[in-house]
Amino acid sequence: MSYARSMKPLFYIILLNAVGAALISISGGARSPEALVLTGAICVVSIICYTVVSFAGFGDPYLFLIISMLGSVGGIMQLRIRTAYGVRQLKWFLLGTACYFLAMLIFLAMRKILPRLTPLYVGVSVALYAATLVFGRTSHGSRNWIVIGGDNGLSIQPSELIRIFFVLTLAAIFTAQPDKNSKKKKKADGDKPFGLRPNAARLLSASAVTAVNLGFLLLQREWGIALLFFATYFFFIYVYGASRGYLLLNAAAAVGVGAVSLKYMGHIQTRVEAWLNPFADASGKGYQITQSLFAIGEGGFVGRGIGEGSVYFIPEVHSDFIFSAICEEMGILGGFAIVMLYFVLTYRGFKIALACTNRFNKAVAFGLSLMLGLQSFIIIGGVTKMIPLTGITLPFISYGGSSMLTTFAAYGILQAISALKEETTDEL
Amino acid sequence: MGEILSKILTYIFVIIIYLFIYAIIRMIYFDIRAMNRKKSGGLADAYLKLINLRRDLDFNIDESYELEDDEVIGRGAKCTLRLPDKYLSVRHCRIYKADGSFFIEDLDSTNGTFLNGDELGDEAVELIDGDKISIGRLNFIFVMPKGVDE
């Protein structure tokens, strides 16, 4: 690949940050030198990381580029909404980069033992859930925060971290070797695209693990993540060859749980009503979604201009509803660009999974890219009233430290898997 | 004034995102192209070109297959060139290079190997550029562009 061509995306990232910084300073009037320094730091970090990844042979060079782009757009939007949010978001982005490479190195170092640690993953997940339930703090009807050190202390959302453990658990279950002492068989299985058809035991243990996770999430009223986990699990059992009957059974169970909660939980009822007919109660139940739709409509095709929209009418605009703000200020054209970025990112993830030769790594790559792709779909679908709205973050753009760091770690694992792929190709 | 300026800058902002996506997709495209060439070595002397319409076949198949020095074609997992046509035998036929020419031989296949319409017997037959090879439901043209001269 020519040097000029491979450097072009980096150039666009820098250009975007420059234009973004100009926009922030002419519109908000809130000129923060710290914000400018951090925007510059993002550019520098992107250049360094991209160079390291592509020239040190750490596998796929596109992942980090796309993440940098998403993070830059997110940073600019956060700065535009509130300088303090933006500054913190950009700091998290830089910290996230460290997480990315840390997760990559940990995965590379531990890749031999990771497939055998299923009990550990489940144990850590359960411990985190328990800690959330005991020490947790309720916000917006969900008990999903742990606050360390007083009111202004560090608040973390353990369910964001559990996402990674959940994928690792499923991957370990579905690629577990029934016969541990026959190494020959192991090799033969590796040739097949997704391994042998799983036996009933594997499916059942996957279902059991998912049920435990969903149980805790529903206790915390984390419907967004619960939906995400279930969808990931469902695709997993489909890919790993569950029979049609078992798929139907799972779908029926999900519908059953949905129907029961619709009947007995006001929380869910409100959500569904707001989804089906938000304008019936536009100032009450449907407030969030109608404001989001107004904003998207207001933006039109090309948007009102960054800093010109009235984004403060949108509730939770910095986290769950950031996509509505993007659509208002950059238009549907800008919103579509963001969707395309997620599309390319998820495509790269699946590509890594397809190219991977190790069964466990393949499953992890598949699960992580699937989960993060679904996450973007769930929240973008939610704020555009395509599916019922469930609170979940938009990866790399929504405000939030836990989400940012763990999403970075997830992609760091993907990066590690792609690096391994290149390693094996060279050996052959 | 500020409003117009920020509008224009926003357009530029969005256009940059699209340019970025374009650049990335272009890079991926060139990457895949380079990889495909690398996979086949880029030096193969000959290849098989499929002449069936791919949409008439109910399985995945490539438009062409570059030939290495020794290829066993068939349905089985151990074949060097594995084609999922159910009318092929597990080990159907073999194409190999000897003394600068390519030869084809049938490996006792059930449905036979046909060269320009004639069924192959027990002996290997030399292939020349433009020969038509029919196995199972598949028809290939044997292409050797440069001729093999050592």
Side-chain angles (χ1 to χ4, degrees), chain B:
Chain B
M1 184 58 210
E3 205 174 308
I4 295 169
L5 190 61
S6 68
K7 230 177 182 163
I8 292 168
L9 282 178
T10 304
Y11 295 161
I12 297 172
F13 192 83
V14 173
I15 289 168
I16 293 171
I17 305 182
Y18 278 103
L19 286 173
F20 173 83
I21 295 171
Y22 175 73
I24 287 275
I25 290 177
R26 214 174 122 83
M27 271 168 72
I28 293 175
Y29 168 75
F30 278 104
D31 240 18
I32 291 173
R33 226 175 55 167
M35 220 185 295
N36 282 346
R37 211 177 298 144
K38 199 163 83 185
K39 209 186 333 184
S40 57
L43 300 163
D45 294 311
Y47 59 93
L48 292 179
K49 172 112 185 64
L50 185 72
I51 44 179
N52 297 66
L53 284 177
R54 276 202 289 182
R55 63 166 180 270
D56 296 342
L57 301 168
D58 50 0
F59 48 85
N60 280 333
I61 189 157
D62 289 344
E63 205 62 69
S64 65
Y65 291 95
E66 307 232 28
L67 292 171
E68 304 277 342
D69 287 354
D70 193 352
E71 299 271 6
V72 176
I73 303 172
R75 204 159 37 78
K78 282 186 184 151
C79 293
T80 50
L81 184 52
R82 193 175 167 198
L83 302 171
D85 183 355
K86 57 176 181 263
Y87 293 95
L88 289 184
S89 295
V90 177
R91 280 162 53 85
H92 198 102
C93 63
R94 176 170 166 234
I95 296 178
Y96 60 93
K97 191 162 133 185
D99 302 323
S101 304
F102 280 89
F103 291 85
I104 184 165
E105 105 187 292
D106 186 57
L107 298 172
D108 279 331
S109 65
T110 314
N111 294 323
T113 303
F114 296 84
L115 183 63
N116 299 323
D118 301 326
E119 186 162 6
L120 284 185
D122 292 335
E123 285 166 25
V125 177
E126 187 178 348
L127 288 168
I128 36 176
D129 190 11
D131 274 348
K132 182 179 163 194
I133 299 166
S134 308
I135 45 174
R137 279 180 293 172
L138 302 171
N139 298 305
F140 291 103
I141 293 278
F142 173 78
V143 187
M144 192 163 60
K146 290 169 276 184
V148 186
D149 37 15
E150 237 70 55

Side-chain angles (χ1 to χ4, degrees), chain A residues 104-418:
Chain A
M104 186 182 98
L105 293 175
I106 291 175
F107 191 88
L108 285 177
M110 292 177 64
R111 65 178 192 272
K112 290 271 151 53
I113 55 165
L114 282 172
R116 293 190 296 259
L117 295 180
T118 320
L120 180 78
Y121 304 141
V122 179
V124 172
S125 304
V126 170
L128 284 171
Y129 282 128
T132 325
L133 282 175
V134 176
F135 306 109
R137 165 177 300 196
T138 310
S139 94
H140 305 289
S142 307
R143 192 179 180 82
N144 53 9
W145 292 94
I146 295 182
V147 179
I148 301 167
D151 268 348
N152 295 318
L154 185 68
S155 50
I156 49 176
Q157 204 171 353
S159 55
E160 299 280 358
L161 183 60
I162 296 171
R163 289 182 308 173
I164 297 178
F165 286 114
F166 182 66
V167 168
L168 287 175
T169 317
L170 285 185
I173 289 174
F174 278 113
T175 55
Q177 298 297 324
D179 235 352
K180 273 184 187 160
N181 41 14
S182 71
K183 276 201 173 167
K184 259 191 178 168
K185 207 176 167 209
K186 210 173 192 170
K187 276 197 175 155
D189 290 353
D191 296 335
K192 295 186 181 172
F194 272 110
L196 292 172
R197 279 187 157 242
N199 48 31
R202 278 195 230 172
L203 281 176
L204 286 177
S205 46
S207 307
V209 166
T210 311
V212 169
N213 273 285
L214 291 183
F216 276 112
L217 286 170
L218 297 191
L219 270 181
Q220 298 174 14
R221 303 204 170 191
E222 277 255 40
W223 289 91
I225 301 245
L227 176 63
L228 180 64
F229 278 20
F230 180 77
T232 308
Y233 155 78
F234 197 73
F235 279 106
F236 246 102
I237 60 171
Y238 173 71
V239 165
Y240 283 89
S243 66
R244 203 165 293 173
Y246 197 69
L247 288 171
L248 278 176
L249 188 73
N250 275 285
V255 170
V257 170
V260 168
S261 48
L262 189 62
K263 193 135 199 251
Y264 296 105
M265 300 182 81
H267 194 61
I268 296 302
Q269 233 165 354
T270 316
R271 291 267 169 103
V272 173
E273 274 171 32
W275 172 55
L276 289 174
N277 196 359
F279 296 99
D281 187 8
S283 57
K285 289 174 187 167
Y287 182 72
Q288 289 191 325
I289 189 75
T290 44
Q291 288 304 323
S292 160
L293 290 177
F294 286 148
I296 295 170
E298 199 67 38
F301 195 65
V302 289
R304 298 173 71 180
I306 293 175
E308 300 300 320
S310 40
V311 293
Y312 300 109
F313 286 119
I314 313 169
E316 297 294 317
V317 65
H318 60 289
S319 61
D320 294 355
F321 284 89
I322 188 89
F323 189 73
S324 318
I326 289 175
C327 281
E328 178 174 6
E329 304 214 312
M330 304 182 208
I332 215 65
L333 211 58
F336 190 67
I338 301 295
V339 173
M340 268 174 78
L341 284 174
Y342 285 117
F343 181 83
V344 180
L345 190 58
T346 310
Y347 160 79
R348 281 321 294 177
F350 284 135
K351 195 86 193 157
I352 290 169
L354 284 173
C356 177
T357 44
N358 177 303
R359 277 158 42 101
F360 174 73
N361 292 351
K362 199 187 210 41
V364 172
F366 163 70
L368 288 176
S369 26
L370 173 70
M371 175 174 263
L372 293 154
L374 280 171
Q375 183 170 345
S376 323
F377 169 75
I378 289 173
I379 187 60
I380 293 177
V383 300
T384 52
K385 202 179 90 75
M386 188 183 170
I387 55 173
L389 178 69
T390 44
I392 202 166
T393 54
L394 187 61
F396 300 114
I397 296 188
S398 284
Y399 176 81
S402 315
S403 159
M404 182 74 104
L405 299 188
T406 52
T407 314
F408 258 113
Y411 278 107
I413 292 175
L414 272 179
Q415 182 79 63
I417 292 171
S418 72

